[in-house]
Amino acid sequence: MVTFTILVPFYLAGRLWFEFSPFAINYYSKEKANWYNEWNTQRFLIVLNLFLVSLSLSFFWGGKILEDIHAEKIDFTQILFYIILQILAVILFEVKMEHPFKPIQAFKKFKKNSYSERFEFREKQDAADKIEHHSNELKREFLKVGTKISNELNNQQIILSETNELAKHNNNILQESDFAFEIKKNPNMVIDDILRDYFISKDSERVLSDFLLRKKNSGKILFTKPARNGVSVQPILDFLSAFTNVMESCKSGTITQAETCKIINAVTSAKDRLGNIAEEPINSRNLSKYLSNSDVQDDI
């Protein structure tokens, strides 16, 4: 009874500290919704409430049971239910934690890595600054193309008609896409919001920017939302539905589901619940399930 009344709440408080300290730093100094790895505010509140439940059981019920035992008034049924509830609180708590039921491994990882290496704190960047940054990049590319055209005119003294053709050719190159599918235009696009809304890793920010703004393939976009088994495909397919015509083409039969899986896996990857990266997260099974659910919602 002493173990379940005193040591269990202390154990849960120790485990909770590894999540509370970065939560507090992030909540008051950075963004409030998403903070590091697969953790978020809702998940933290769940483990906090489980700790408070265990602490309340110990304070209001466990203390009374200990007093009854001291007075030699032992109620084994009451003791059994108390222990079962405490064990249930510990199990539910550990399921939501990193490294479930491995507190020593969690402590070693927490101690080994500094905050900056372990937690992906993300500062919001003003939307206007973000748009200006990408606008400047495009201006520099156009300037490079213009410089090449000017040098060619000076060196070879080509005629005006040839200059116009070369300029058109270079402009077409800048507008060409590396992808066989259409990327939809969205003038109000904010990269930070997309990273947050679709659980995309901060490390994929440049790849995502090239994909949406320049239509260039500079790598795979990494999705990090955890799943109970395997990987979470919902953010991936929602993202492709919102910003490309891949899902529309699949639904209309323009491309097969096998071709759709191949196209999506070529540009995306995802983390599973253990943190391992799945290079081909989409298969015919989870794609069919997503399309079926989508069709039901459309009918409604």
Side-chain angles (χ1 to χ4, degrees), residues 6-23:
I6 299 176
L7 296 184
V8 167
F10 270 97
Y11 167 77
L12 296 183
R15 287 283 271 151
L16 184 65
W17 171 250
F18 298 130
E19 314 306 338
F20 177 77
S21 53
F23 169 78

Side-chain angles (χ1 to χ4, degrees), residues 255-266:
I255 56 176
T256 65
Q257 289 192 14
E259 292 172 331
T260 303
C261 293
K262 185 176 180 180
I263 290 172
I264 298 175
N265 288 331

Side-chain angles (χ1 to χ4, degrees), residues 188-234:
N188 300 320
M189 194 180 302
V190 179
I191 297 299
D192 276 346
D193 291 345
I194 298 173
L195 290 172
R196 182 188 66 246
D197 294 341
Y198 295 96
F199 301 89
I200 297 175
S201 170
K202 181 67 174 178
D203 295 336
S204 295
E205 180 178 7
R206 182 55 186 266
V207 177
L208 176 64
S209 176
D210 288 344
F211 180 88
L212 295 176
L213 300 177
R214 301 177 63 233
K215 302 180 182 180
K216 298 299 178 183
N217 187 359
S218 57
K220 286 192 173 186
I221 302 171
L222 177 61
F223 292 79
T224 61
K225 184 177 182 180
R228 188 180 299 273
N229 294 304
V231 299
S232 178
V233 303
Q234 183 80 30

Side-chain angles (χ1 to χ4, degrees), residues 21 87 94 105 109 143 173 184 226 263:
S21 53
I87 292 175
E94 284 290 345
Q105 182 178 349
K109 186 174 180 180
L143 182 60
I173 290 176
K184 300 176 181 177
I263 290 172

Side-chain angles (χ1 to χ4, degrees), residues 139-152:
K139 288 179 180 178
R140 283 194 292 270
E141 290 199 25
F142 278 112
L143 182 60
K144 291 179 181 178
V145 174
T147 301
K148 291 180 180 179
I149 294 173
S150 178
N151 291 336
E152 191 68 20

Side-chain angles (χ1 to χ4, degrees), residues 5-244:
T5 302
I6 299 176
L7 296 184
V8 167
F10 270 97
Y11 167 77
L12 296 183
R15 287 283 271 151
L16 184 65
W17 171 250
F18 298 130
E19 314 306 338
F20 177 77
S21 53
F23 169 78
I25 293 172
N26 191 66
Y27 189 88
Y28 287 103
S29 63
K30 305 289 180 180
E31 58 185 273
K32 294 185 178 181
N34 292 329
W35 19 313
Y36 70 94
N37 296 346
E38 293 84 15
W39 274 84
N40 53 42
T41 303
Q42 289 75 19
R43 185 174 174 184
F44 173 77
L45 291 177
I46 290 173
V47 296
L48 176 62
N49 286 326
L50 287 170
F51 163 71
L52 294 176
V53 168
S54 175
L55 185 64
S56 299
L57 286 172
S58 299
F59 187 78
F60 293 105
W61 196 5
K64 180 180 179 301
I65 294 176
L66 287 175
E67 290 178 358
D68 292 343
I69 293 174
H70 183 71
E72 298 183 353
K73 298 178 181 179
I74 302 176
D75 185 343
F76 289 103
T77 302
Q78 184 177 212
I79 292 173
L80 178 62
F81 276 105
Y82 173 77
I83 292 175
I84 290 174
L85 288 176
Q86 285 286 32
I87 292 175
L88 183 61
V90 172
I91 292 174
L92 294 175
F93 184 96
E94 284 290 345
V95 167
K96 285 294 182 180
M97 295 294 293
E98 287 187 297
H99 307 291
F101 306 101
K102 297 179 181 179
I104 296 178
Q105 182 178 349
F107 173 75
K108 288 181 179 179
K109 186 174 180 180
F110 186 89
K111 185 177 180 181
K112 179 180 179 182
N113 298 331
S114 63
Y115 277 97
S116 60
E117 294 172 346
R118 179 170 167 75
F119 307 124
E120 298 178 2
F121 295 129
R122 300 198 294 265
E123 294 187 12
K124 288 274 189 178
Q125 186 175 2
D126 184 79
D129 292 340
K130 200 71 174 178
I131 294 174
E132 182 180 358
H133 170 72
H134 292 296
S135 176
N136 290 335
E137 283 191 348
L138 291 174
K139 288 179 180 178
R140 283 194 292 270
E141 290 199 25
F142 278 112
L143 182 60
K144 291 179 181 178
V145 174
T147 301
K148 291 180 180 179
I149 294 173
S150 178
N151 291 336
E152 191 68 20
L153 282 170
N154 293 332
N155 293 333
Q156 300 182 18
Q157 295 181 350
I158 55 176
I159 60 174
L160 183 59
S161 59
E162 292 175 333
T163 304
N164 290 333
E165 290 298 324
L166 182 59
K168 290 179 181 178
H169 175 70
N170 281 282
N171 286 333
N172 289 334
I173 290 176
L174 289 177
Q175 296 173 3
E176 286 180 355
S177 173
D178 289 346
F179 308 101
F181 50 86
E182 177 187 353
I183 298 177
K184 300 176 181 177
K185 294 182 180 179
N186 188 337
N188 300 320
M189 194 180 302
V190 179
I191 297 299
D192 276 346
D193 291 345
I194 298 173
L195 290 172
R196 182 188 66 246
D197 294 341
Y198 295 96
F199 301 89
I200 297 175
S201 170
K202 181 67 174 178
D203 295 336
S204 295
E205 180 178 7
R206 182 55 186 266
V207 177
L208 176 64
S209 176
D210 288 344
F211 180 88
L212 295 176
L213 300 177
R214 301 177 63 233
K215 302 180 182 180
K216 298 299 178 183
N217 187 359
S218 57
K220 286 192 173 186
I221 302 171
L222 177 61
F223 292 79
T224 61
K225 184 177 182 180
R228 188 180 299 273
N229 294 304
V231 299
S232 178
V233 303
Q234 183 80 30
I236 300 175
L237 300 178
D238 284 348
F239 170 82
L240 270 298
S241 296
F243 297 101
T244 74

Side-chain angles (χ1 to χ4, degrees), residues 239-252:
F239 170 82
L240 270 298
S241 296
F243 297 101
T244 74
N245 69 337
V246 173
M247 304 306 297
E248 297 171 2
S249 299
C250 181
K251 289 180 181 180
S252 66

